[in-house]
Structures are given as C-alpha cells and as structure tokens.
Amino acid sequence: PQKTNERLINILCFHIKNETGSRYSKESLEADKSRKDSEKSGARLSTQGSQELTLPKTDSRGYLGRNQWSRTSRSPSTRAPSADEPRNKNNSLKPPNSSTTSRTSSSSPNHQESPKRLSAQPSPPTSTMPLDSRPSTPPEVQLPAASRHNTKISEHSDAWSLGIGRETQESRDTQSRDSRDSRDTHQREYPRTPPAEWKSYVQRKMLYPSQVDQDCMSNTARKREEEEDEDEAYWASVRTLYEKTPSCSRPRPPKPKHAITIAVSSQALFNMMDSRKIYEEEGLEKYMEYQLCNENVVLTPGPAFRFVKALQHVNARLRELYPDEQDLFDIVLMTNNHAQVGVRLINSVNHYGLLIDRFCLTGGKSPIGYLKAYLTNLYLSADSDKVQEAIQEGIASATMFDGAKDTAYCDTQLRVAFDGDACLFFDESDHITKDHGVDKFFQHETLFENKPLAQGPLKGFLEDLGRLQKKFYAKDERLRCPIRTYLVTARSAASSGAHVLKTLRRWGLEIDEALFLAGAPKGPILVKIRPHIFFDDHMFQIEGAQKSGTITAHVPYGINQKVNN
C-alpha cells in the first residue's frame, strides 16, 4: 500500500506540472452532472485499511474548490489507479466530484462490500500558475500515527487548491455570461392587462384610503386644507343664516325684458358738484386722484335719490302681493365715470341700502349708446346735452334739478307729476298758439275734442305706472296704492280740458289727479303735492318749481327744448 500511494502522488504531481489548465471534456461533464449526489461532502481517497484521505470537492462544472481536503470520510473510498495504467490524457486520473466519490452506504451494495479502483477519467482542471511561484512551505496536514498516507500530498495541496480556485472563479464568470446571453436571446413576455378607466388622484384616494398619503402631505398643504375646510364651513353657516333670515335677504333683480328700467346718472343720484368742479378746473387725472383718495367717503344724495327710494318701495309692496313678480322697477347706474371711481359709487349705494345691481361705467365715453342695450324706459341725468342726445334716440329722458329748499317727502307712496303738452302729449298746441294765437288754439281744441292727441315722450312711462297700479287694484288696494299720478297743466279746463281727459281715456290710462291752472304758476300747487319728480318742458316752470323746493325734471322736447341759462 505504501508504494501504491507514492505512485499516486507522483501521478498527481506530474499532471499538475505538465497539464495545467486542462478541463473536462464535454462528454465527461455531461456524465458528471448526471451522477451528482445529494451529499455535499468532498470526494475521498481510501486505502485498503481504515485510514482515508479526502479529495477536493468539485462544483457543478467539475472544478475543484479551495480547501476541500479532509482527513476522514464515512463513505467508502475508491482505490488509486495502479502503476500499470497508461498515463495518457484520456486515461489520466481526475479527482472525482462529489456525485462520483461521495457515495453513501445506501447508494449501492457493491460499495459496501469492498473498495473499488478509480475508473479512468479525464484529468482534473488545474491552475495555470507554475509550481515555482506557489508557496514553498505549504501547511502540513497532521495525520495520525496509524495513517498510511504520504505527506507529499499535503505539501502540494495549497498550490493545487489555489490554481483550482482561480479556475473556479473563471468558470463562474463564464457561466454567468452564458446565462445572461441566453436570457437576452429569449425575449421576455409579460402578461398584458386590459386598460382600466382613468381616475383622478382624488378618486383613487377615496377608493384606497391610506395613511401614507396623509404622512407624505406636507404641513403647509395640510394647514391649507384645514383653512379651506374652516372657510367652507363658515360660509355654509353664513349662507344658511342668510337664507333663513327674511329681513336680510336681498331680493333678486327682475329680468330686464319684464322690468321697467330706469337709468340714472351718478350726478343725478348723488351730489358730485365738488368733484365736477375739480374735473373742469384741474383735469381728468386730478379728478380721478381725488375720487380714489375719497372712495371711502360716502356721497350725499342728489336730485334723483328720493325718486329711486320711492321706486324701491313700490317694488317691495309688489313682492308682498306677488312674490314671483317680474314686472318691477329696475334701476341702472349709468355714468361716464372711470371704472376706478366705481368703488366710491358702490360704497355709497350700499351705504344707503339702494338695490342697484347693474352699473355702466364708460370711462369718459358717452353712455347714451348703451341705453337701448339696457332696454331703458326712462333716462335721468344732470347733463342736458346727454339728455338731448337720448331724446333724439327716441328714449324718454329728462334733466334733473334739485329743489332750493329742503322738503319732506312721503316715503310710502311714489308721487309723479306730469305736464301735459310736450311731455305726455305732442307739442301741437304750442305750435298753434305761437303761430296763430290763443283764440285759434281754443277753436282747434273744440273742433278736435274727440280726436286723441298724439303721444309725447313720457306717455310710455305713464302707461307703465298705470299697469302697476292695476296690480294693486286687483288686490283691493286702491286706497293704499303706493303709486299716485298727477296732471299739472297750464291749460284751461273749460276750453281744452275735455280733449285731454278723453285722450287719456282712449289710451286706457287713469290719472289720479288732474290740475288745470289756466296759466297760473305751478309752484304753489307742487308744494302741496310734494312729488318725488315733476316733468315739464318749459324751463321757466322748472325754475318756479325749484324755488318752491320741488324736485324737477326738464324734458327738452318740442319747440321749447332749449334751456335758458
């Protein structure tokens, strides 16, 4: 046995020196892979006695791993080849892998009977490192005294395992590249899922609520959401309170196609004489600067202010009787002021509780072109030129003048006084009187008493007032009607009064009071009436009513259309 071991050591050393880098053949590798065993212990060399020597363990490709020599083995070992076997390349000894040499007692009964010789196999893979460069003093293997192994195996074990380790690393790199190439050649096929309906983040968050979303949300965004929730809750409570409290509910404006639209200029609604003076003396820029600096200063009431308040009272009474009524007065603030001035106007309107929702700020341009677009029935302004322009456009208009004295006005009834000729009627009588005298005028009235007079510019506004009056009459509110109309004319009742009354009857209009003065001054009568507005075409009548404290409106229509300054 000792000679046999020495032969085996010589054979191994020879193959290490001369056949470095040799590998298993393809057929040997396939055979080795098919004979892999479940155990992971290394292959062993066994002698005929009880002492065994473990060969290095190989990996899946047949390469030997480092430090795989062990002293003992429980499995029966294979016998070393005899010295008579040829030393060619095909029949050279190769350390068997674990599947070949590590057979247990239960693998085959032949292994339990007696040890067998190693079969002729290809030479094991060795390192390309020369023997001279390997460690000169490898660690010695401590063998027991009864061991029959030679110490020469121990001397070359580290050198062998070092070369084998390098080969093993190279084989692993090659194997990984081969497996990567094989994966690249085969295109992966992923299962295709059908397209789902697109959903926003909020919808997906509602379907899959998660604490992660809340944690990822920054503190600033979270605070913003909390503030928005608080604001929304606040406005919801205010809205509920606003709807449940009838006293503070603001009525909706009527639809323009059903409403009686009264367009009022800013200078007629408020007293803006100071700012007007600045505009005329210092220019537009100073005027705008003055208005911006005083936008929180409330404007004082103008000549049309009480008339507008009386119109709003009529609307309130109509809404009490007819909650869904649309045939109401609709006030529009029409002015050529710049939009920056609108802030002061809005503040003043809200201060006095005026229900004016529609504004028209033209920024220096004449607002007359917008009157028809707003479906205007009556236009009141403090500018006589604009009023004359509106009359030429076929819109009932008048220039407002405030009374010289402070007069108490009725707050529960709208009182409107009209002159007859050139206001409600055509100015035919003025033409006859100026051309042919008063006698010819009386003869003409007697002859054409049953022929209705031609209508004047304010005939339509009187019709609107009469239509609203009938709504109160239908509810048995004649005595408590909030509208009262007056006819204050210089005609004589005996000579021309019948012609006027029959004309109104033909028109289907009712006048509450008819006052025929036969040329007497109208001022004293107007003081008793205290109308919110008095329409007349003669400027001298306007001046006389002004002195008595009456709010007047000059209608520049007919032959008396020029205003005497």
Side-chain angles (χ1 to χ4, degrees):
Q2 184 174 2
K3 293 181 178 180
T4 305
N5 291 337
E6 291 178 357
R7 284 185 181 180
L8 177 60
I9 292 172
N10 294 330
I11 292 172
L12 293 175
C13 293
F14 177 81
H15 283 284
I16 289 173
K17 183 180 295 185
N18 298 326
E19 298 185 9
T20 57
S22 62
R23 299 174 180 270
Y24 291 109
S25 62
K26 186 175 181 181
E27 293 80 8
S28 299
L29 290 175
E30 293 177 355
D32 290 342
K33 289 181 182 180
S34 63
R35 292 195 300 271
K36 286 183 179 180
D37 195 19
S38 61
E39 292 188 1
K40 298 181 180 180
S41 60
R44 299 173 179 175
L45 283 175
S46 174
T47 60
Q48 294 181 359
S50 60
Q51 299 296 330
E52 297 178 354
L53 183 63
T54 304
L55 291 178
K57 187 198 291 188
T58 60
D59 57 6
S60 60
R61 300 186 61 178
Y63 297 151
L64 293 176
R66 186 173 182 177
N67 296 331
Q68 300 296 327
W69 293 100
S70 115
R71 298 180 182 177
T72 59
S73 175
R74 296 180 183 177
S75 61
S77 61
T78 57
R79 186 181 60 82
S82 61
D84 300 333
E85 292 179 355
R87 296 185 178 181
N88 55 18
K89 188 175 182 179
N90 294 331
N91 297 329
S92 61
L93 178 63
K94 175 184 178 182
N97 55 13
S98 60
S99 63
T100 307
T101 59
S102 301
R103 298 186 179 89
T104 59
S105 59
S106 60
S107 299
S108 175
N110 296 329
H111 291 279
Q112 297 177 0
E113 294 175 359
S114 61
K116 294 184 179 180
R117 298 179 178 271
L118 290 173
S119 60
Q121 294 180 355
S123 61
T126 58
S127 173
T128 58
M129 184 177 180
L131 290 175
D132 297 339
S133 62
R134 293 170 187 169
S136 59
T137 57
E140 296 182 357
V141 181
Q142 300 293 334
L143 298 175
S147 176
R148 297 181 180 180
H149 292 279
N150 196 297
T151 56
K152 292 184 179 181
I153 298 179
S154 302
E155 295 175 358
H156 300 279
S157 59
D158 286 347
W160 194 351
S161 59
L162 181 60
I164 291 173
R166 292 181 180 178
E167 294 293 336
T168 304
Q169 183 66 27
E170 293 178 0
S171 64
R172 289 178 182 175
D173 296 341
T174 307
Q175 184 178 4
S176 62
R177 286 196 297 269
D178 295 342
S179 60
R180 193 182 303 113
D181 296 340
S182 63
R183 286 197 302 268
D184 295 339
T185 54
H186 300 284
Q187 186 178 3
R188 293 185 180 181
E189 295 183 359
Y190 297 97
R192 296 184 179 179
T193 56
E197 182 181 358
W198 181 88
K199 293 183 179 180
S200 63
Y201 171 74
V202 178
Q203 294 175 342
R204 288 186 279 108
K205 186 177 179 181
M206 293 176 63
L207 293 176
Y208 307 102
S210 175
Q211 188 66 24
V212 179
D213 297 337
Q214 299 179 2
D215 296 338
C216 294
M217 188 183 303
S218 62
N219 295 332
T220 305
R222 194 174 304 167
K223 289 180 180 179
R224 190 182 299 113
E225 282 192 0
E226 292 176 357
E227 292 177 357
E228 291 178 356
D229 294 341
E230 292 178 359
D231 292 343
E232 186 177 356
Y234 170 76
W235 286 113
S237 61
V238 171
R239 193 182 304 111
T240 304
L241 181 63
Y242 183 83
E243 292 175 354
K244 289 183 178 180
T245 308
S247 60
C248 67
S249 60
R250 184 183 181 91
R252 294 182 179 179
K255 295 181 179 179
K257 64 180 180 179
H258 301 300
I260 303 170
T261 303
I262 310 296
V264 183
S265 69
S266 59
Q267 295 184 15
L269 184 62
F270 299 111
N271 185 2
M272 303 182 69
M273 295 301 297
D274 295 339
S275 57
R276 182 71 182 178
K277 186 178 180 180
I278 294 175
Y279 171 74
E280 293 176 354
E281 295 178 357
E282 300 183 19
L284 177 61
E285 296 300 327
K286 292 292 183 180
Y287 169 79
M288 291 183 58
E289 182 180 354
Y290 172 80
Q291 294 290 2
L292 291 175
C293 294
N294 295 275
E295 64 180 12
N296 294 323
V297 179
V298 179
L299 296 168
T300 57
F305 182 84
R306 295 178 180 86
F307 175 67
V308 172
K309 292 285 287 186
L311 295 177
Q312 289 187 180
H313 178 71
V314 175
N315 287 347
R317 290 290 307 277
L318 282 171
R319 286 191 175 100
E320 291 177 1
L321 300 176
Y322 305 93
D324 299 330
E325 183 61 43
Q326 291 292 323
D327 194 2
L328 304 170
F329 291 109
D330 185 19
I331 314 300
V332 178
L333 186 60
M334 192 81 60
T335 176
N336 62 349
N337 275 297
H338 197 272
Q340 297 295 332
V341 186
V343 177
R344 189 179 186 186
L345 296 175
I346 293 173
N347 293 337
S348 301
V349 166
N350 294 333
H351 172 77
Y352 293 109
L354 302 178
L355 301 179
I356 301 178
D357 296 297
R358 295 200 289 169
F359 278 53
C360 181
L361 306 168
T362 60
K365 183 180 178 181
S366 176
I368 304 303
Y370 293 97
L371 293 177
K372 290 185 178 180
Y374 277 86
L375 304 178
T376 304
N377 298 92
L378 177 64
Y379 175 59
L380 302 176
S381 176
D383 191 345
S384 58
D385 295 334
K386 291 185 176 60
V387 170
Q388 183 67 42
E389 186 180 352
I391 288 287
Q392 294 175 359
E393 293 291 330
I395 298 172
S397 304
T399 306
M400 297 291 297
F401 295 94
D402 204 353
K405 299 179 181 180
D406 292 336
T407 307
Y409 293 90
C410 181
D411 296 332
T412 60
Q413 191 176 52
L414 171 64
R415 298 178 181 180
V416 182
F418 297 92
D419 179 31
D421 297 312
C423 288
L424 293 178
F425 315 115
F426 187 65
D427 61 343
E428 181 182 358
S429 60
D430 293 336
H431 283 282
I432 295 174
T433 302
K434 287 185 180 269
D435 294 341
H436 305 284
V438 178
D439 294 336
K440 289 290 183 179
F441 168 70
F442 289 154
Q443 293 177 3
H444 177 270
E445 291 295 309
T446 303
L447 291 175
F448 297 97
E449 180 178 330
N450 294 323
K451 182 181 178 181
L453 293 168
Q455 66 180 17
L458 294 178
K459 184 249 185 180
F461 182 57
L462 180 61
E463 286 179 341
D464 295 333
L465 295 176
R467 186 175 65 254
L468 296 182
Q469 281 180 318
K470 291 179 181 179
K471 293 180 182 294
F472 291 98
Y473 299 162
K475 295 290 184 179
D476 197 15
E477 294 282 339
R478 180 179 286 269
L479 298 179
R480 298 180 64 249
C481 181
I483 301 174
R484 193 163 185 84
T485 56
Y486 301 86
L487 175 62
V488 182
T489 177
R491 284 174 175 258
S492 170
S495 60
S496 59
H499 194 191
V500 170
L501 295 177
K502 287 182 179 180
T503 300
L504 293 175
R505 187 187 303 168
R506 287 285 186 94
W507 287 351
L509 300 177
E510 295 183 8
I511 199 80
D512 293 316
E513 298 185 23
L515 305 174
F516 297 91
L517 302 181
K522 298 179 180 179
I525 301 298
L526 294 174
V527 171
K528 295 296 182 180
I529 296 173
R530 291 182 298 174
H532 292 93
I533 190 169
F534 168 62
F535 295 97
D536 201 302
D537 65 314
H538 290 278
M539 193 60 199
F540 73 91
Q541 296 286 2
I542 296 295
E543 292 175 353
Q546 253 187 299
K547 293 178 181 180
S548 63
T550 303
I551 299 174
T552 57
H554 177 255
V555 182
Y557 183 74
I559 60 175
N560 298 315
Q561 61 184 335
K562 292 184 179 181
V563 179
N564 297 324
N565 297 325

